[in-house]
Amino acid sequence: MSALTETATAAYFYYYPLVENLRQVERYVTAGIGSNPAAPFNSFSHARKLAGPEDTFVTINNDTVYSMAQLDLSGGPLRLDVPATGDRYYVLQFVDAWTNNIAYIGTRATGNEAGSFLIAPPGWTGESEFPVVQASTDIVSIVGRFACTGNDDLSAVTSLQNSLVLEPLNPTAAVNGLPAVDANPSDGLLFWQQAHNWSQAFPAPAAESALIERFSGLFSPDVDSEDLAAWYDDGVAKLEDATKHGEAPVFNGWTVGLHLFDYNVYNLSLGTIDDDRWKIRDEKVCLAERAIACRLGLWGNHAYEAVYAQAFTDVTGAPLLGENTYRINFPEKPPVGAFWSITLYDIPRYYLVDNPIDRYSIGDRTAGIRYEADGSLILTISKDEPTSVTARSNWLPAPDAAFRLVFRLYVPGESILDETYSYPPVELVS
């Protein structure tokens, strides 16, 4: 591998989160995604139902109803008003252009009372009577999630969503939006052009200036377009491979991304935990984990908000296939402050999979699940509907193909965070 090719691979991993993230931002403000309609910058887009197969977003959850807002702070600060949510779990997660989780408002971070907050652009030095979310880039995504138990609960969630208010302090100020890029027939050339233009518009932290300088040669007009295309293809392949061989530990077959979203070490604002326990200090590992996190679960939370464990295989290491039947036995309820679920996704898109009973996740809030006499819970995962009443009640339908599971634990207990929790294995039954 030549030195320039090695640099290009590192650059692909570095810029991939920025490019993929801003492509999704652009989708939200121009076309919408699934149940979330398009909405202009600095306004909310509300889904009015739980996500399903039509929501084509990587590893989208089926536990909460989404309220999304794409912010452009180039016009100045915004005021955000949130309603009281009673005992309902909710979170508004703030993600900058580089996919850093920079702030949280919600049940864990700020409580469930009504309140007002100020969202300030980079470099802002004003005063506010409200708690401040200090942004690190002009573009910020609010990823809002309201816990929802099903269709009967949707009207209550809708009422809360409608009570979210965003208002610019200067209503007449113009915003910059996303810099345009030239129409380009090649995926590879488009990627590098977006990486260059968008990284200039939304600068990385000053501490990463040496990396920016290292990668600058890739954007020289003297670089051959065929080389750029080849470097892009190589980067895509290497990132796909890295998603299967990341740094996350494995417990009973579950790869637990406890620190997958700890790559933000510079911009930690309201509701985050500014502690070395939640920071990846090795730069090489940090940037690799950021790319992997973006590929597997864009806009995922820090572990202290929600833990994501994934399984591509059963406990023996054999791939999960729809032609088989699997069992997951929970001897006791997982230690969470909010709730937990297991969701099934296809491969390699990581989208929810259509099924005959319209069930895409299963967990402690699933209507009709049946516990054993000793309080344990046994889940069945298969393509074919189980024959017994209990197994059918606790059934998560699988496709006739390979699939991936994600085990979510919202507001995880300390045994999960200190890695002493015993994850229930995915066991092959037949």
Side-chain angles (χ1 to χ4, degrees):
M1 179 184 292
S2 70
L4 195 56
T5 299
E6 186 175 354
T7 297
T9 299
Y12 178 83
F13 273 66
Y14 182 76
Y15 289 112
Y16 172 78
L18 174 73
V19 172
E20 179 59 24
N21 179 46
L22 293 184
R23 286 177 177 177
Q24 300 308 317
V25 168
E26 191 169 49
R27 283 180 71 191
Y28 266 102
V29 298
T30 58
I33 296 179
S35 301
N36 281 89
F41 280 113
N42 301 333
S43 63
F44 274 101
S45 163
H46 302 299
R48 300 305 192 185
K49 67 179 190 64
L50 291 166
E54 70 281 2
D55 296 280
T56 54
F57 192 88
V58 172
T59 318
I60 196 168
N61 84 54
N62 182 246
D63 306 309
T64 67
V65 179
Y66 284 92
S67 287
M68 310 293 298
Q70 307 306 332
L71 310 183
D72 186 340
L73 300 171
S74 59
L78 304 171
R79 172 175 165 164
L80 168 67
D81 296 332
V82 303
T85 60
D87 59 0
R88 184 186 303 275
Y89 170 83
Y90 88 104
V91 62
L92 301 182
Q93 169 197 5
F94 293 75
V95 187
D96 76 5
W98 293 83
T99 73
N100 295 306
N101 292 328
I102 60 170
Y104 293 95
I105 292 170
T107 302
R108 178 201 60 81
T110 58
N112 282 17
E113 298 299 318
S116 297
F117 303 86
L118 186 80
I119 308 168
W124 184 81
T125 57
E127 296 183 358
S128 172
E129 60 180 304
F130 308 121
V132 176
V133 172
Q134 180 60 63
S136 44
T137 55
D138 279 344
I139 296 296
V140 172
S141 300
I142 297 180
V143 186
R145 304 172 176 91
F146 289 91
C148 180
T149 58
N151 291 335
D152 293 343
D153 196 27
L154 284 173
S155 62
V157 172
T158 296
S159 178
L160 293 172
Q161 291 176 306
N162 291 343
S163 298
L164 291 171
V165 178
L166 271 172
E167 293 182 344
L169 267 57
N170 182 359
T172 62
V175 297
N176 296 331
L178 295 177
V181 295
D182 298 334
N184 210 309
S186 162
D187 289 344
L189 296 182
L190 178 61
F191 173 87
W192 293 114
Q193 186 179 127
Q194 289 174 328
H196 183 240
N197 291 4
W198 289 346
S199 63
Q200 289 186 320
F202 312 108
E208 295 177 1
S209 58
L211 280 172
I212 298 295
E213 178 62 27
R214 177 189 173 196
F215 300 144
S216 62
L218 299 174
F219 304 113
S220 167
D222 297 330
V223 175
D224 188 271
S225 60
E226 291 186 2
D227 287 336
L228 288 171
W231 293 335
Y232 168 78
D233 290 341
D234 183 63
V236 170
K238 283 186 168 58
L239 178 55
E240 286 302 300
D241 183 66
T243 62
K244 310 297 193 302
H245 306 94
E247 297 288 325
V250 178
F251 300 99
N252 279 344
W254 293 98
T255 301
V256 183
L258 202 64
H259 298 286
L260 191 59
F261 297 93
D262 291 354
Y263 44 79
N264 179 13
V265 298
Y266 303 116
N267 303 298
L268 293 160
S269 184
L270 180 71
T272 62
I273 298 179
D274 190 354
D275 187 288
D276 282 348
R277 180 184 184 186
W278 305 109
K279 296 177 183 177
I280 303 172
R281 288 299 187 181
D282 184 313
E283 183 177 78
K284 185 176 181 180
V285 173
C286 183
L287 298 181
E289 292 293 277
R290 185 176 71 178
I292 292 169
C294 181
R295 176 66 185 96
L296 290 178
L298 178 61
W299 299 343
N301 288 287
H302 279 99
Y304 48 76
E305 187 69 44
V307 165
Y308 309 91
Q310 64 171 334
F312 288 91
T313 71
D314 64 22
V315 70
T316 71
L320 296 175
L321 303 173
E323 63 194 49
N324 299 328
T325 297
Y326 301 94
R327 176 179 59 208
I328 304 176
N329 185 0
F330 289 84
E332 56 188 19
K333 297 178 180 179
V336 292
F339 57 92
W340 66 268
S341 71
I342 292 179
T343 311
L344 186 149
Y345 300 93
D346 67 9
I347 296 175
R349 301 178 306 169
Y350 307 142
Y351 295 166
L352 300 173
V353 182
D354 193 21
N355 65 74
I357 64 170
D358 200 31
R359 178 182 284 176
Y360 307 105
S361 65
I362 192 167
D364 56 359
R365 301 171 310 136
T366 301
I369 59 172
R370 294 173 177 248
Y371 289 84
E372 301 296 313
D374 61 1
S376 63
L377 177 67
I378 301 174
L379 305 182
T380 296
I381 303 170
S382 62
K383 177 176 65 70
D384 297 325
E385 183 175 354
T387 55
S388 78
V389 173
T390 297
R392 194 160 55 246
S393 299
N394 300 348
W395 176 43
L396 183 59
D400 189 15
F403 60 89
R404 165 184 175 235
L405 298 175
V406 173
F407 184 11
R408 288 180 170 87
L409 301 119
Y410 291 83
V411 191
E414 187 56 32
S415 65
I416 296 171
L417 298 181
D418 68 16
E419 301 183 339
T420 59
Y421 173 65
S422 180
Y423 287 81
V426 182
E427 299 175 297
L428 176 66
V429 176
S430 60

